[in-house]
Structures are given as C-alpha cells and as structure tokens.
Amino acid sequence: MINKFKRIVVPTDFSDTADTAISLAAELADWYDSTLDLVNVVDATVYAYAGYPFASLSKELMSGAEDALNKVKVPVKKAKLSRYLLSGSPAREIADHARRHKASLIVIGTHGHGAVARFFLGSVADRVVHESDIPVIITKKPKGKIKHPKKKNKPFSRILFPTDFSETGTKALKRAIALTEDMDAELFVLHVIDDSLISTHVEEERHIILKELRKHALEEMRKHLPKHLMENFETIGAVKRGEPGKAICSYAETHHCDLIVMGTHGRTRIERALIGSVADKVVRRAKSSVYLVRPGKK
C-alpha cells in the first residue's frame, strides 16, 4: 500500500458523533494494520469556579472519564488498540499526543459533546487541524437512519479531490491518489469557478470570461494529474461554477463520494483561494468525511 498509516489517533468525548469517528478510524486501522489510539481529554478548568476544591474536581473528572473510556466499544478486528486519558487543553493535547507517538493520521468528529469531558468535537476539530503536523479526517454523525446500507468491504470507495492548483492542493492530490490506489476506489477531480468574483454584469462579457476560465482550469487540471489518470479524464475531471464550498459538497453528494480530500490555506492562480476558508465551509456542509492536508505538513 502507498499510504503508511502506522498509527491512527481518534479522540472521543463519548458522544454519538465521536462514535462515528471511532467506527471510521477502526476501519482504517484494520485496513492498514495500524495501531489505533483512543484518546479522551479532560479539561477540568472549564468546570472550576470560586470556592470549589479544584484538585478534588479534577480527580473526580479523571476517574469518571477513565471509567467511560474503558467502556467505549471500538470495532477493531486485527488492529492493536490503546486507550489514553489525558488532561489539559483538548486540541493541544490531541495534537501533542499524535506528535509524541509519531502518529500518521487523526480522525475526529464534529459537533459532539460529552458528559464527562468538555465539549470539544466541533470547534476543537478546527483547532486540531491547525495544531496538527499530520493530516486530519473530519467525520460527522449521519442524519437519520440509513436505509438498507450496503455492506462495506473498504473504508472509501468514491473519493473527490477539489483543487485550486496550489502547492497545498498538489500535496492533497497525492494523498487522494494514494488512497484511491490503496482501496481500488474511484477518483473525481473538481475545480470550481466562483463567478461571483467576475465584476462585469454584461452577460456576453461574463460568458467570454467564464469560457476562458474553464478552458484554463481544464488545462491546469491536465498538467497536475498523472498520466495514468488521463485516460479517464473526461469521466473524472470536472469544472463547475458557483460558490465553491456549496458546489464541492453538492458534487460530492451527487456522485456519492464518501470522502473529500482537500488542502487548507491554498492560493490559486485563476481566482481567489478555493482552499482555506472554503475548507471550513466544506466541513460544515459535507455529508461525507473530509480529509484535510495543510501546507508544509506530511
């Protein structure tokens, strides 16, 4: 396999949202024969108030969290599982744990909250992305019940890579291709032209500009894709117009993609940065998991 996820970290706050991340992390750990670290972080300071014995509060929270952590069911089949109870600022502790143990990937849920540790899946997921030296996969709890779910034999089967042709985007493309090849999945490559940034309101002029932007985007896409993918370019390559975050999520949903791989804080040569603030919008809107790669990271 091209990717080498020797160690995967998955934080939990004991919520249903965290369970979704745990399920995916377990699948990936089994797929790559990795070690899986289940981590809970207790931040006792958010419960402290004047007059309450802080040491006693911290001890009680740590004890309760340890019991809850040991009861979490992790559906691993062959991967090695380790459980870690940490204390401090959640995002920093998660990133530091991954760094200390030389982890290759963090899988974290959004919009979760726990009864034992403070709410940290959501806003903390964003902080983990910025604190981490390694890629992060962000998951969400599916809305409603899934009717007649298909039996999965691999973590991902259809992967979307939205590009702005930046250096970070190129790094993310390598990750997307590696995952595609590791899992024999389908890959889709998308560039979104934000036509709201075209200043002219003359329809004929807008049409000419959009046509040229689309032509240039397709040329850039062909330059960045490896030769073995060019055979299916008409099938996997697409240029769309609209608000980037919304268009990316819509495309992923329409094409039944179960993973979006993208860079953060990129810069584009065609129009405004697609990746960065757009990545935040994609994480909030997407129904699928989102794999984020930062500049200068592994």
Side-chain angles (χ1 to χ4, degrees):
M1 292 186 177
I2 297 174
N3 282 301
K4 294 181 179 179
F5 297 132
K6 293 183 179 180
R7 196 177 202 106
I8 298 172
V9 174
V10 58
T12 180
D13 65 351
F14 314 117
S15 67
D16 291 343
T17 303
D19 289 343
T20 301
I22 291 170
S23 294
L24 176 58
E27 283 187 74
L28 288 167
D30 280 335
W31 186 268
Y32 287 102
D33 197 18
S34 311
T35 295
L36 180 61
D37 289 359
L38 179 67
V39 175
N40 175 252
V41 184
V42 174
D43 186 356
T45 60
V46 300
Y47 292 103
Y49 59 88
Y52 195 97
F54 180 78
S56 177
L57 170 66
S58 180
K59 184 177 179 180
E60 288 176 19
L61 289 172
M62 291 294 285
S63 178
E66 184 176 16
D67 290 342
L69 184 64
N70 289 330
K71 292 177 182 177
V72 174
K73 294 181 179 179
V74 183
V76 289
K77 297 177 181 177
K78 60 179 181 179
K80 179 183 176 182
L81 175 64
S82 299
R83 299 171 193 258
Y84 292 88
L85 179 62
L86 308 175
S87 177
S89 172
R92 187 177 301 113
E93 289 299 324
I94 293 164
D96 285 348
H97 175 89
R99 198 173 291 117
R100 282 195 306 270
H101 294 270
K102 299 181 180 179
S104 309
L105 179 70
I106 297 172
V107 181
I108 186 169
T110 59
H111 306 302
H113 53 84
V116 180
R118 81 167 193 176
F119 168 94
F120 76 89
L121 295 180
S123 61
V124 170
D126 178 67
R127 294 187 195 119
V128 167
V129 171
H130 290 85
E131 292 266 0
S132 176
D133 295 322
I134 58 177
V136 178
I137 293 181
I138 300 178
T139 69
K140 286 184 180 180
K141 179 187 175 184
K143 293 183 179 180
K145 294 183 178 179
I146 301 174
K147 296 181 179 179
H148 309 293
K150 294 181 180 178
K151 185 177 181 181
K152 293 180 66 176
N153 58 4
K154 52 190 173 185
F156 304 115
S157 57
R158 295 169 76 86
I159 297 171
L160 172 62
F161 167 66
T163 181
D164 66 347
F165 313 118
S166 66
E167 182 180 350
T168 305
T170 300
K171 292 180 180 180
L173 174 59
K174 292 178 180 178
R175 286 285 184 175
I177 292 173
L179 285 165
T180 300
E181 295 183 357
D182 283 352
M183 298 177 189
D184 192 25
E186 293 181 74
L187 176 67
F188 298 88
V189 182
L190 173 69
H191 177 74
V192 180
I193 297 172
D194 190 346
D195 52 6
S196 69
L197 297 174
I198 300 174
S199 58
T200 178
H201 295 287
V202 179
E203 191 58 35
E204 187 175 345
E205 292 179 357
R206 287 178 64 84
H207 178 74
I208 293 172
I209 293 171
L210 286 167
K211 184 178 179 181
E212 285 302 309
L213 284 173
R214 186 177 188 279
K215 179 182 177 182
H216 185 55
L218 287 169
E219 289 174 354
E220 286 292 306
M221 199 178 287
R222 288 188 174 95
K223 287 179 185 177
H224 285 75
L225 287 175
K227 291 182 179 179
H228 71 276
L229 290 177
M230 292 305 298
E231 297 176 4
N232 299 318
F233 182 75
E234 297 303 322
T235 302
I236 69 168
V239 175
K240 300 291 182 181
R241 8 177 331 197
E243 192 279 307
K246 185 176 180 180
I248 290 167
C249 295
S250 176
Y251 189 92
E253 190 172 349
T254 300
H255 290 77
H256 307 290
C257 297
D258 44 19
L259 181 68
I260 299 172
V261 180
M262 61 193 302
T264 61
H265 306 295
R267 294 293 181 268
T268 177
R269 294 193 296 271
I270 294 181
E271 73 278 356
R272 76 169 184 177
L274 166 66
I275 311 300
S277 61
V278 173
D280 298 332
K281 294 177 182 177
V282 169
V283 168
R284 291 186 179 94
R285 286 177 176 268
K287 293 183 179 180
S288 64
S289 298
V290 182
Y291 185 120
L292 296 174
V293 179
R294 291 192 62 208
K297 303 302 180 185
K298 295 177 182 179

